[in-house]
Amino acid sequence: GVTISDVTLKAGTSTLKSGLLGGVITTNPYGGVPAVYVASISDCTIEEGVTIGYTGTEDMIGSFAGRFQGTMENCVSHATVKGTNFVGGIIGTRDNALGTCSVTGCTFDGTVEASGKNAGGIVGGGYENSTAPNGIHVSVNDCISSGTISGKENVGGILGGDEYVAQTWSNVAGSISNNTFTGKVSGTRNVGAIIGYLCSLNAMD
């Protein structure tokens, strides 16, 4: 994997895709990287006046990462993040249905503008297709979102939507706990201060 720490994206800059990692699908239709490759991003900052996804046409985009597998800790974003589906203040979506994907102690107070579904103040959405109904939910813990979050469907102050995990089998469960949202959230269907839409919960979540 890769380790990234203490990186700042400066005010007045813009990127077409996510600020630090994309996780672009290439030869494998299910993930940008195999589950063994885990990224670590910590103590990074995106200043106010930065635009992520300046065309507004990118899927799976976030301030720091688009498709993400690994751990994100103590990062702060003041950015404006624009996209279509799976648009997040910190990350867009998880990259691998069974890999590690956790966001801890991060803060977002910028703007998320999604023209489609799964838009969140911290995480846009869970795994982005229906091939893994027994996968793992994203872990989002101890995060603060005070931004303005807008989309059409599955819009949440912390997590936009996890549409496809119907019944987690793994005993390495995802968790969403101790998060705070004090911003504004808007959409036309499935809109929540914390979570817009979550397909299911069971004993492993």
Side-chain angles (χ1 to χ4, degrees), residues 7-20 45-54 61-64 76-82 89 108-113:
V7 173
T8 299
L9 299 188
K10 302 298 289 183
T13 60
S14 61
T15 67
L16 173 63
K17 298 182 183 293
S18 299
L20 299 179
T45 302
I46 299 180
E47 294 181 346
E48 186 176 359
V50 173
T51 300
I52 305 295
Y54 54 78
I61 188 168
S63 286
F64 296 101
V76 177
S77 173
H78 309 285
T80 295
V81 186
K82 299 179 179 182
F108 179 76
D109 63 6
T111 301
V112 169
E113 300 175 3

Side-chain angles (χ1 to χ4, degrees), residues 136-192:
I136 303 172
H137 289 297
V138 176
S139 288
V140 187
N141 300 289
D142 305 310
C143 292
I144 297 172
S145 171
S146 59
T148 300
I149 318 302
S150 63
K152 286 186 177 179
E153 182 178 346
N154 305 342
V155 186
I158 300 297
L159 171 68
D162 194 328
E163 300 179 90
Y164 302 117
V165 175
Q167 194 79 306
T168 296
W169 287 350
S170 172
N171 60 4
V172 181
S175 67
I176 300 173
S177 66
N178 200 34
N179 301 292
T180 301
F181 176 67
T182 58
K184 296 180 180 180
V185 60
S186 62
T188 58
R189 185 167 184 254
N190 300 336
V191 180

